[in-house]
Amino acid sequence: MVNATASQPSPQAAGAWSPLKVSMFRALWLAILASNIGTWVNDVAAAWVMAERTGSPLMVALVQSATTVPIVLLALAAGTLADIVDRRKYLLLTQGWMLLVAAVMATLTAFDLLTPNLLVLLTFCMGCGAAMAMPAQAAIVSELVPQPMLASAVALNSIGINIARSIGPAIGGVIVAQLGAVWAFGFNAITFAAMLFVVWGWKRDPKASSLPPEGFGAGLKAGLRYASRAGRLQAVLIKSVGFFFFAAAMNAMLPVVVRGQMHGGAGQYGILLGCIGIGAVGGALLLPRLRAKLDRDLLVLLATLALACSLVGLALTRSWYVLPVVMLVNGFAWITVLSSLQIAAQTAVPAWVRARALALYIMVFSAGMAAGGLSWGALAQRTSPELALLVAAVGAVVGGLLVWRVRIAGTEELNLRPAGHWPAPELAVPVSHDRGPVLVTVEYRIEAGDRALFQAQIRALGTIRRRDGAVVWGVVEDVATPGVHLEYFVTPSWLEHLRQHERITADDKAIQETLRGLHRGERAPIVRHFVGGQDPLPANVPHHHSDI
């Protein structure tokens, strides 16, 4: 078994390639790279088979969307499961499912039984497996490398995706052209088998918690609640909406343009897709320098404009010499935006909710790609591929300009490690986890001159309370004794309040320390816990002081 913590380099030595020195990250990175290559080979084969058998731009786009629609439908549920169950066992199950689907596609193709409808259905089934696996695959990065390496590890994942994008389509084109689609689908099945082998060898060291795992329903609500209060994560989602819908036009229209307008074959199609991947890998290698010189949000805007130019290039160019350059630009723009958003999504949330947050990002990404693919395919069928590409280019420019002031810069500087500074509540008798609701009050004494700063900080703390589990929060002032402020918040159960203790981060602690500094009095702010239920606590339960 491979130990995920073995052979880890010092965090101080973290660099662009240092995560590959961590043995388990390296093994999984290579396995995911192989799996992504297999997926591209599969996608090339599926798109080409559909284009060959139907000649319909809408049906080709439907194959593309059948891969991404399940992600829209299932990603959030998958992210919730990935946060509350053993991720190793979960990944084994999802990879096994995709191995089975790929094997069925290869078998049906071998016996000439793969009809267009079956192709869409099986592509949808493959998409379901990918939807269930993606949040877990994204979230395990933080388990495999130390925190200082996280941004580099996410960037390496992006490089891996685009290495696959650069060689996978070319391999797929060659396999389809020389051997046939059955070998392409079989190749994909083999890569899933390799992924299963590596995950089987992962000796996972899960983070210990004294609390029971969340149930599915509670975990789903907690993820949505967190996202509704997490401004940096919301910024990532907004940026994604403004980009992926329009970027989908390239994937949807490229096979139609190559086969219909340029009368090319699978080989040329694969080469052009490979150029997109090469541009992406080159862009990933240049990104560290670009990030050092340019604001992250400005960089995303410039890349969006470059992507719009590539869409215009595909619409207007019919030269086999110019189109590879257009694809290189598209790949460079794609990786710049994708990597920036992925790093921001990973670093904008703490570990306990990371898979759910990444699932939301993946869901928005996939919804944009699926809706965009269908929209541009439908528009091309009614008008022309050229017009669809030009409309998408204009939309990308407008969308990029509308969202560029929504800030994602600075997420890597957030300190979201658990602070662990809240002491356990003092109890006269044990309280069961299901007791509730729980009312917590904190009494502050604030001087008049500090009132404005206190109000600003307490509102920020209120967002944290609600983000981490409070269903009610507020602050009131004693009219008989000005300066005495009482903060209160309610959680549904004692267990949910204990989860708040585990979820408070180092950045959250800084806000609480500011409030402690504003408090005037001989003692710390007084904290009281009131618990509902059929077995009330004795009347003489003492209050206590804490950093809550």
Side-chain angles (χ1 to χ4, degrees):
M1 303 282 281
V2 184
N3 193 330
T5 60
S7 304
Q8 289 187 354
S10 169
Q12 286 77 13
W17 304 100
S18 59
L20 293 177
K21 298 177 183 178
V22 180
S23 59
M24 192 61 225
F25 176 83
R26 181 175 64 251
L28 270 173
W29 187 83
L30 291 171
I32 292 172
L33 172 62
S35 180
N36 285 334
I37 292 173
T39 298
W40 274 107
V41 170
N42 187 93
D43 289 350
V44 168
W48 193 256
V49 167
M50 186 62 79
E52 190 174 54
R53 296 190 179 184
T54 68
S56 167
L58 184 58
M59 289 299 291
V60 173
L62 187 61
V63 170
Q64 304 283 349
S65 297
T67 304
T68 51
V69 167
I71 300 173
V72 180
L73 300 177
L74 301 175
L76 189 55
T80 302
L81 288 172
D83 272 332
I84 64 178
V85 303
D86 186 291
R87 287 176 183 164
R88 175 181 173 273
K89 295 178 181 178
Y90 182 76
L91 284 173
L92 287 172
L93 179 63
T94 57
Q95 299 303 313
W97 167 258
M98 288 187 284
L99 170 59
L100 176 63
V101 174
V104 169
M105 292 179 74
T107 302
L108 290 177
T109 305
F111 289 97
D112 198 25
L113 298 175
L114 189 64
T115 64
N117 289 337
L118 273 177
L119 178 58
V120 172
L121 175 62
L122 289 170
T123 302
F124 180 82
C125 291
M126 184 74 73
C128 289
M132 299 304 291
M134 288 173 70
Q137 284 185 191
I140 62 174
V141 176
S142 61
E143 293 188 47
L144 300 177
V145 299
Q147 176 66 26
M149 292 184 184
L150 182 57
S152 296
V154 173
L156 277 172
N157 278 350
S158 296
I159 291 175
I161 289 170
N162 287 284
I163 290 174
R165 188 172 186 164
S166 66
I167 64 177
I171 293 173
V174 170
I175 291 176
V176 171
Q178 301 297 321
L179 301 175
V182 61
W183 290 94
F185 297 138
F187 179 86
N188 191 33
I190 292 171
T191 65
F192 286 127
M195 182 72 179
L196 269 172
F197 176 78
V198 173
V199 175
W200 182 266
W202 178 22
K203 186 177 181 181
R204 185 170 182 251
D205 183 19
K207 299 295 186 293
S209 173
S210 60
L211 302 180
E214 292 178 282
F216 178 81
L220 183 62
K221 290 179 182 178
L224 292 173
R225 181 184 62 235
Y226 188 95
S228 70
R229 305 289 179 184
R232 294 301 181 94
L233 176 60
Q234 291 171 359
V236 173
L237 300 181
I238 292 170
K239 292 272 194 186
S240 300
V241 170
F243 178 78
F244 292 119
F245 178 82
F246 305 105
M250 179 62 73
N251 288 345
M253 292 297 100
L254 185 58
V256 177
V257 170
V258 170
R259 189 175 186 276
Q261 273 69 25
M262 303 187 67
H263 308 291
Q268 288 95 334
Y269 174 57
I271 289 171
L272 290 178
L273 284 178
C275 289
I276 294 177
I278 293 170
V281 172
L285 297 176
L286 289 175
L287 274 177
R289 295 182 182 179
L290 293 176
R291 290 193 185 107
K293 296 179 179 179
L294 295 175
D295 173 82
R296 180 71 53 83
D297 297 283
L298 178 59
L299 183 59
V300 169
L301 174 62
L302 294 175
T304 302
L305 298 178
L307 181 129
C309 291
S310 72
L311 295 177
V312 173
L314 180 61
L316 302 181
T317 301
R318 293 295 176 265
S319 168
W320 291 111
Y321 299 101
V322 177
L323 272 184
V325 178
V326 173
M327 297 302 107
L328 289 172
V329 172
N330 183 272
F332 181 88
W334 175 269
I335 190 59
T336 300
V337 176
L338 189 66
S339 179
S340 297
L341 294 177
Q342 284 179 339
I343 292 172
Q346 283 270 9
T347 55
V349 296
W352 69 269
V353 74
R354 183 164 287 135
R356 280 163 281 188
L358 290 170
L360 281 171
Y361 164 71
I362 291 168
M363 186 170 66
V364 171
F365 163 83
S366 301
M369 295 296 290
L374 286 174
S375 299
W376 308 124
L379 181 59
Q381 184 146 314
R382 291 193 175 190
T383 58
S384 68
E386 292 83 0
L387 181 60
L389 287 162
L390 292 174
V391 173
V394 172
V397 173
V398 173
L401 292 173
L402 287 176
V403 304
W404 88 278
R405 289 188 178 275
V406 179
R407 304 288 295 172
I408 63 170
T411 57
E412 293 170 60
E413 285 71 46
L414 298 176
N415 188 348
L416 301 179
R417 290 173 296 180
H421 69 292
W422 284 10
E426 296 178 8
L427 305 174
V429 296
V431 179
S432 61
H433 284 168
D434 60 352
R435 285 280 300 275
V438 177
L439 169 67
V440 182
T441 65
V442 187
E443 183 180 306
Y444 301 91
R445 295 180 177 272
I446 306 298
E447 293 182 353
D450 295 328
R451 182 186 179 91
L453 180 57
F454 171 79
Q455 291 291 340
Q457 292 296 307
I458 201 68
R459 282 195 296 270
L461 183 59
T463 298
I464 294 168
R465 305 283 200 206
R466 287 177 288 191
R467 182 199 70 193
D468 289 350
V471 294
V472 176
W473 176 88
V475 60
V476 293
E477 186 174 5
D478 187 346
V479 294
T481 312
V484 176
H485 299 261
L486 188 71
E487 180 199 8
Y488 62 91
F489 59 95
V490 177
T491 60
S493 67
W494 186 247
L495 177 59
E496 286 303 308
H497 176 58
L498 294 180
R499 293 195 196 283
Q500 287 183 304
H501 282 243
E502 290 191 344
R503 292 170 178 171
I504 201 75
T505 70
D507 282 346
D508 302 336
K509 180 181 177 182
I511 294 175
Q512 292 182 317
E513 289 177 343
T514 300
L515 288 168
R516 283 288 302 271
L518 296 173
H519 173 74
R520 299 293 180 260
E522 297 179 359
R523 297 181 299 181
I526 298 174
V527 181
R528 295 184 177 90
H529 296 78
F530 302 88
V531 186
Q534 293 183 347
D535 299 319
L537 293 174
N540 62 346
V541 174
H543 66 254
H544 67 91
H545 309 290
S546 81
D547 292 324
I548 195 168

